Amino acid sequence: MHTKNLKHYIGQEVTLQGWVANKRESKTVVFINLRDGQGMCQCILGIDDIGEEQFSEAKSLGQESSVAITGKVVEDTRQIGGFELHATSLTVYQNASDYPISNKEHGVEFLIDNRHLWLRSRRQWAIMKVRNSIIYAIHNFFQSQDFVQMDAPIFTGNAAEGTTDLFETDYYGKPAYLTQSGQLYGEAMAMAMGKIYTFGPTFRAEKSKTRRHLSEFWMIEPEMAFCDIFENMDLIEEFLRSVVQEVIEKCPTEMEILGRDISKLSTVSKPFPRLSYDEAVEILKGDKDVDGQNSLLTLEQDLKDVEARMVEINADIAEREAAIAAGGMKKGAINFNQNKIDSQKQELKQLEEDQRNIPQWMVSARDFVYGNDFGGSDETVLTRLFDRPVMVYDWPHEIKAFYMKRNPEDPRFARGVDVLAPEGYGEIVGGGERETSEEWLVEKINEHKLPMDVFQWYLDLRRYGSVPHSGFGLGLERLVAWICKLDHVRETIPFPRYYGRLEP
RNA sequence: GCCUUCAUAGCUCAGCUGGUUAGAGCGGUUGACUGUUAAUCAAUAGGUCCCUGGUUCGAGUCCAGGUGAGGGCGCCA
């Protein structure tokens, strides 16, 4: 019996098994918030109902003790989940003590060190449920359109793009690398099956310390034969719309726990803006406005807003501190104000970082050199002006991977496309149309100084029935972070691996 | 790799321009009270102020180096 199904058992006696998420006690009654992995239910254990022996056992239970509680289901709209259980008996599997994670706020380092326990917290529970729904929605989308799921190898002998750092392992005495993309293998499989997608782990040994990088993450890479860049963009748009809408429908409770404003996500139903690299650069540098909004002026305003907010918070903190210092305040009120001050100081730290960063971003955007790739901050500046994902296509071919198809009408550009998520989440999708000509590919492989021999099998794909084809790569963790509006991708995966973190 | 911010009780933090015995809240323990929602009230235990060196009559506080962490850039999904 699970808390989720209580609505079907009103007035009946059921047994719930779970963990003590929180407990309050008085002389004759103990309240237990029971967590069973599917939901929560408050259980009322009265001394007269369960007897003195079980009652004293109930009183002694520590946070996260494992128990089974039998009792009658009663509707009570005030409660989380809408029901409570009037207990008639209690079975204790284990009485736990000194659970390290309390209901108070904790720091990131402490929480990540205790990730194996942190996963039990309400917010983390909601994130994992959303992640699960996203994964399901992704499979659902591709399967319903006759894509074939394939698994690309994790050990590879070479770097697909040659630029990033890879994890090296020993493969029977030869060096092998953990894959950083399954795309080339996806292309081969697409020539066999028509439409495929990979869904697997990806590894990058970049020593990044940012809120959107992991060393090990999950990537979804569809690849379609007979598909050009514009059809590819149509698919990306349809795909993101479908996944986001399915998750919004399936996870209302989770979104509420996360405090996610769903209206900010519903905008995916509108068409995604498609900008060429040239247009995007103009907007970024502030030479072109979007709906009357200018990138540089918007940033200036952001900085002013940050500073105004800092003044506001400082004043409020000072006021509360003065009120506490004045004395005569009840302990509960002091407590409340202290906590308020604590959380405001957290916000202040974040604002101080924004205050340091925004001027750098402005400089970066204003002085952007045409022909370069967009930096993380440039993406933020650009997407700041839109309320939905933005697609940027036709990039200078020099900054894109060797396999990108050149625009036949203007060979300065390669037919790559990046999808930038709103609200500062950056690049969630990178893809494009692939080069079909063996000749051009060979030239590019030489240009990138890649070993020709290991690409012979890849060139075979152009020798035997080469067709226009496209695909893209979606970072699952970045998608989860955006949909849940999390401030770090490390919360999007059960056990994150990033620079400096291998445990737990 | 570069830039930047930080490290004080189990947890979250305060500790001003260096000064005598380092504080608060939460959590723990004990008691009181209560259909409670992070309950409340009282009492109580709990510290190598990250490490090493320096300045000083005196360092949690200042300086240098180290270690660890947060964030930004680069790189990318």
Side-chain angles (χ1 to χ4, degrees):
Chain A
M1 181 63 200
H2 293 288
T3 49
K4 213 175 97 182
N5 302 321
L6 287 176
K7 56 174 177 273
H8 306 301
Y9 294 88
I10 297 169
Q12 297 180 45
E13 189 162 275
V14 301
T15 300
L16 293 174
Q17 294 166 299
W19 296 264
V20 176
N22 201 6
K23 189 193 73 175
R24 287 163 297 280
E25 56 184 270
S26 69
K27 205 168 215 167
T28 57
V29 63
V30 171
F31 301 93
I32 289 175
N33 279 354
L34 193 76
R35 175 183 73 73
D36 75 346
Q38 302 206 4
M40 292 273 252
C41 179
Q42 171 164 277
C43 303
I44 292 91
L45 295 87
I47 190 163
D48 297 335
D49 300 321
I50 62 170
E52 270 182 45
E53 196 181 321
Q54 287 190 7
F55 185 76
S56 69
E57 204 175 10
K59 273 185 101 163
S60 74
L61 290 172
Q63 197 183 351
E64 288 301 313
S65 292
S66 42
V67 296
I69 301 173
T70 303
K72 199 169 89 174
V73 181
V74 175
E75 193 164 12
D76 187 337
T77 48
R78 291 171 304 174
Q79 303 306 334
I80 302 162
F83 302 93
E84 58 179 26
L85 196 72
H86 289 217
T88 50
S89 83
L90 165 76
T91 309
V92 177
Y93 291 101
Q94 193 218 358
N95 189 346
S97 54
D98 299 324
Y99 185 69
I101 300 177
S102 67
N103 286 320
K104 244 263 177 166
E105 277 185 56
H106 296 282
V108 246
E109 195 184 357
F110 177 81
L111 288 171
I112 206 83
D113 281 341
N114 288 286
R115 183 61 172 168
H116 52 296
L117 302 175
W118 187 24
L119 289 168
R120 302 181 186 193
S121 302
R122 202 164 154 69
R123 232 183 115 73
Q124 298 306 310
W125 174 86
I127 295 167
M128 290 304 128
K129 291 277 283 183
V130 172
R131 179 184 168 103
N132 177 64
S133 288
I134 290 172
I135 292 170
Y136 189 87
I138 289 169
H139 280 294
N140 202 13
F141 177 84
F142 287 122
Q143 292 294 332
S144 69
Q145 299 204 14
D146 299 319
F147 280 70
V148 173
Q149 197 273 336
M150 71 164 277
D151 300 306
I154 288 170
F155 286 121
T156 59
N158 62 281
E161 298 171 32
T163 50
T164 37
D165 293 333
L166 304 182
F167 287 105
E168 193 175 327
T169 65
D170 178 78
Y171 192 75
Y172 306 117
K174 286 168 82 174
Y177 306 92
L178 299 184
T179 181
Q180 63 156 359
S181 165
Q183 186 210 309
L184 303 188
Y185 301 98
E187 286 185 50
M189 192 72 161
M191 298 305 130
M193 317 301 291
K195 296 191 284 187
I196 64 90
Y197 67 107
T198 69
F199 198 136
T202 303
F203 308 88
R204 306 265 167 99
E206 296 155 355
K207 292 179 178 172
S208 302
K209 289 190 83 129
T210 82
R211 54 186 73 197
R212 54 180 189 281
H213 286 88
L214 292 171
S215 301
E216 178 186 284
F217 62 98
W218 288 70
M219 191 150 70
I220 294 90
E221 294 179 285
E223 194 70 34
M224 297 80 70
F226 304 103
C227 177
D228 67 18
I229 185 164
F230 299 102
E231 293 166 309
N232 193 15
M233 286 195 273
D234 291 344
L235 184 87
I236 294 171
E237 189 172 334
E238 196 190 339
F239 165 72
L240 285 175
R241 180 170 300 140
S242 162
V243 169
V244 169
Q245 279 174 348
E246 189 173 323
V247 171
I248 291 174
E249 274 167 38
K250 280 191 178 165
C251 301
T253 313
E254 289 81 356
M255 292 307 203
E256 201 190 322
I257 291 172
L258 294 167
R260 182 52 158 139
D261 180 358
I262 305 228
S263 68
K264 290 262 169 62
L265 288 173
S266 316
T267 54
V268 293
S269 60
K270 295 192 265 181
F272 296 3
R274 297 182 186 189
L275 310 171
S276 69
Y277 173 84
D278 281 12
E279 285 176 284
V281 170
E282 272 188 87
I283 292 169
L284 176 66
K285 290 176 75 77
D287 296 336
K288 187 178 171 184
D289 290 359
V290 177
D291 295 333
Q293 281 197 297
N294 179 279
S295 67
L296 297 180
L297 296 178
T298 304
L299 274 184
E300 264 175 46
Q301 188 56 47
D302 284 350
L303 186 60
K304 278 182 200 156
D305 290 348
V306 163
E307 281 163 354
R309 179 77 186 134
M310 285 170 77
V311 170
E312 201 178 304
I313 289 181
N314 277 318
D316 193 71
I317 289 175
E319 199 177 306
R320 288 178 197 277
E321 279 176 344
I324 293 170
M329 196 182 275
K330 279 194 76 177
K331 202 174 170 186
I334 292 173
N335 205 344
F336 175 81
N337 280 299
Q338 282 289 0
N339 285 332
K340 195 81 189 170
I341 290 170
D342 275 7
S343 63
Q344 281 180 326
K345 284 192 175 171
Q346 286 298 320
E347 192 185 338
L348 209 52
K349 276 186 186 172
Q350 183 59 53
L351 289 169
E352 278 166 6
E353 267 171 13
D354 290 346
Q355 194 186 24
R356 278 192 295 270
N357 290 330
I358 292 175
Q360 293 176 25
W361 295 356
M362 286 171 70
V363 171
S364 165
R366 197 189 55 215
D367 300 344
F368 183 83
V369 177
Y370 181 90
N372 285 353
D373 202 352
F374 291 160
S377 66
D378 302 325
E379 289 173 355
T380 307
V381 174
L382 197 60
T383 55
R384 176 75 181 73
L385 302 171
F386 298 91
D387 63 351
R388 316 151 241 172
V390 180
M391 304 205 233
V392 182
Y393 67 98
D394 268 5
W395 295 76
H397 74 92
E398 296 89 350
I399 56 171
K400 283 289 170 187
F402 76 91
Y403 48 72
M404 286 290 184
K405 185 178 179 62
R406 298 280 272 276
N407 181 345
E409 282 149 35
D410 191 343
R412 289 178 300 155
F413 299 108
R415 308 228 97 162
V417 54
D418 283 0
V419 179
L420 311 176
E423 302 175 85
Y425 284 93
E427 190 180 342
I428 49 170
V429 168
E433 187 172 343
R434 320 307 187 189
E435 184 55 66
T436 45
S437 147
E438 182 187 352
E439 199 182 319
W440 283 71
L441 263 181
V442 167
E443 195 183 310
K444 271 286 175 184
I445 291 171
N446 285 327
E447 209 175 279
H448 283 79
K449 296 189 174 69
L450 298 170
M452 191 63 70
D453 54 330
V454 302
F455 287 106
Q456 286 307 316
W457 70 264
Y458 185 66
L459 292 169
D460 267 356
L461 306 177
R462 275 67 179 177
R463 292 172 186 139
Y464 306 108
S466 188
V467 299
H469 63 291
S470 300
F472 62 89
L474 168 88
L476 176 64
E477 285 73 20
R478 286 189 185 173
L479 182 63
V480 176
W482 167 49
I483 290 180
C484 295
K485 199 170 171 43
L486 305 179
D487 55 17
H488 204 299
V489 285
R490 76 182 142 221
E491 284 185 55
T492 63
I493 185 166
F495 294 96
R497 294 290 178 259
Y498 54 93
Y499 183 55
R501 173 64 59 179
L502 193 55
E503 305 283 341

